[in-house]
Amino acid sequence: MNCIIIDDEPLAREAMEMLVEENKELCLLSMFNNAVSAARFMEEHSVDLIFLDIQMPSITGIEFAHTVSKRTLIIFTTAYTEYALDSYEVDAIDYLVKPIETERFQKAVQKALSYHSLLMKEEKEAIEANVSSEYFFVKSERKYFKVNYADILFIEGLKDYVILQLPEQRIITRMNMKGISELLPQDLFLRVNKSYIVNTRHIDSFDNNDIYIGNYEIAIGNSYRDTFFEEFLMKGKRKG
């Protein structure tokens, strides 16, 4: 799982970093001393798990947790046991009291991994098993819809759902961007920011900041810009 650490105490961040790096099933993306910086990072990166301190300046861990998608799991870390009840209100996976012992940390991580696996299974079940090279079936409103890859203009991520934008229809299904991207033909689709994947064959024009598909204008994220231009130009050369 991709994870981040949010804690305003440098020593606490270092201690947590050591624990995370000892676990081969965790990939530490970054560390932050405040929730605001972490939120900006999460706009451009997929985060599965947050180790989140509760007492922080400006925005507390509890306040920040209320803004995080349910698809991103939270393990609270704090020196104060009295916040345990508050952590349950935001569906935190676990609550670790500093100083955190290795055995207790591993137990919390295993709990998060188990729940993460359930979420991934749920997302896979939203897609019919019969996936061909030209189409797939997606579950929406208690029915399965056949979707041709070629017909998808773009895909928009919206918290715990994705929206498939077709020429004459929008289909909303419960899945995250990571799950849907694994189903798509890589030679046809490109992710251009945290919330959008576009079908390159439907791109009408673009500049340094935006992509235009029909009447839709989609921003190119800073961390995706170089990859977009490199990949899109390569696709163009291959077609030629």
Side-chain angles (χ1 to χ4, degrees):
M1 287 192 298
N2 290 333
C3 66
I4 61 174
I5 297 168
I6 309 176
D7 199 310
D8 63 324
E9 299 178 7
L11 291 177
R13 288 197 303 274
E14 291 177 12
M16 183 58 68
E17 180 183 16
M18 291 176 64
L19 289 169
V20 169
E21 290 181 345
E22 289 176 358
N23 191 304
K24 295 180 180 179
E25 294 181 278
L26 296 177
C27 175
L28 181 61
L29 299 181
S30 193
M31 299 190 293
F32 304 91
N33 62 8
N34 65 85
V36 175
S37 298
R40 293 198 194 100
F41 178 84
M42 291 174 66
E43 289 178 358
E44 299 288 345
H45 299 83
S46 177
V47 177
D48 300 314
L49 174 64
I50 305 173
F51 293 99
L52 179 60
D53 185 28
I54 291 181
Q55 279 201 325
M56 293 187 295
S58 299
I59 300 175
T60 68
I62 297 292
E63 291 170 336
F64 179 66
H66 281 290
T67 70
V68 175
S69 165
K70 290 183 179 180
R71 279 294 186 271
T72 300
L73 308 180
I74 294 174
I75 295 177
F76 280 115
T77 61
T78 181
Y80 305 94
T81 57
E82 62 265 28
Y83 291 110
L85 186 61
D86 293 331
S87 72
Y88 297 130
E89 293 180 0
V90 291
D91 296 324
I93 285 295
D94 212 333
Y95 182 96
L96 298 176
V97 180
K98 303 173 185 176
I100 301 167
E101 298 179 355
T102 301
E103 185 177 344
R104 181 67 182 86
F105 172 81
Q106 296 297 350
K107 183 178 179 181
V109 169
Q110 286 304 313
K111 189 176 178 181
L113 287 167
S114 297
Y115 191 66
H116 181 67
S117 296
L118 290 175
L119 292 178
M120 293 300 101
K121 181 181 178 182
E122 180 181 298
E123 288 173 358
K124 287 180 180 178
E125 288 176 351
I127 297 294
E128 181 62 53
N130 182 20
V131 177
S132 80
S133 60
E134 297 181 356
Y135 64 86
F136 64 104
F137 284 88
V138 61
K139 188 176 182 181
S140 178
E141 298 177 353
R142 301 180 182 178
K143 293 187 293 185
Y144 284 96
F145 292 85
K146 182 180 179 180
V147 178
N148 293 314
Y149 293 117
D151 293 339
I152 301 173
L153 301 180
F154 58 84
I155 298 168
E156 179 184 358
L158 186 64
K159 291 190 176 181
D160 301 331
Y161 295 85
V162 294
I163 301 170
L164 307 179
Q165 182 64 58
L166 308 177
E168 304 294 334
Q169 184 183 16
R170 299 174 83 216
I171 299 176
I172 302 174
T173 187
R174 188 177 180 84
M175 182 179 289
N176 64 18
M177 293 291 277
K178 182 180 179 182
I180 192 71
S181 64
E182 291 175 353
L183 293 171
L184 301 171
Q186 298 303 304
D187 62 337
L188 195 61
F189 292 87
L190 277 178
R191 190 164 182 174
V192 297
N193 63 44
K194 178 180 177 290
S195 302
Y196 282 86
I197 297 171
V198 301
N199 185 333
T200 57
R201 292 183 185 173
H202 287 291
I203 294 177
D204 295 314
S205 62
F206 64 91
D207 54 33
N208 195 48
N209 299 308
D210 299 288
I211 294 166
Y212 301 90
I213 298 176
N215 295 323
Y216 300 101
E217 180 178 336
I218 301 169
I220 304 172
N222 291 330
S223 61
Y224 294 87
R225 184 171 287 110
D226 290 344
T227 301
F228 167 73
F229 285 114
E230 289 172 8
E231 292 291 325
F232 186 59
L233 290 174
M234 285 301 295
K235 290 181 195 296
K237 289 179 180 178
R238 286 195 290 267
K239 290 176 187 176

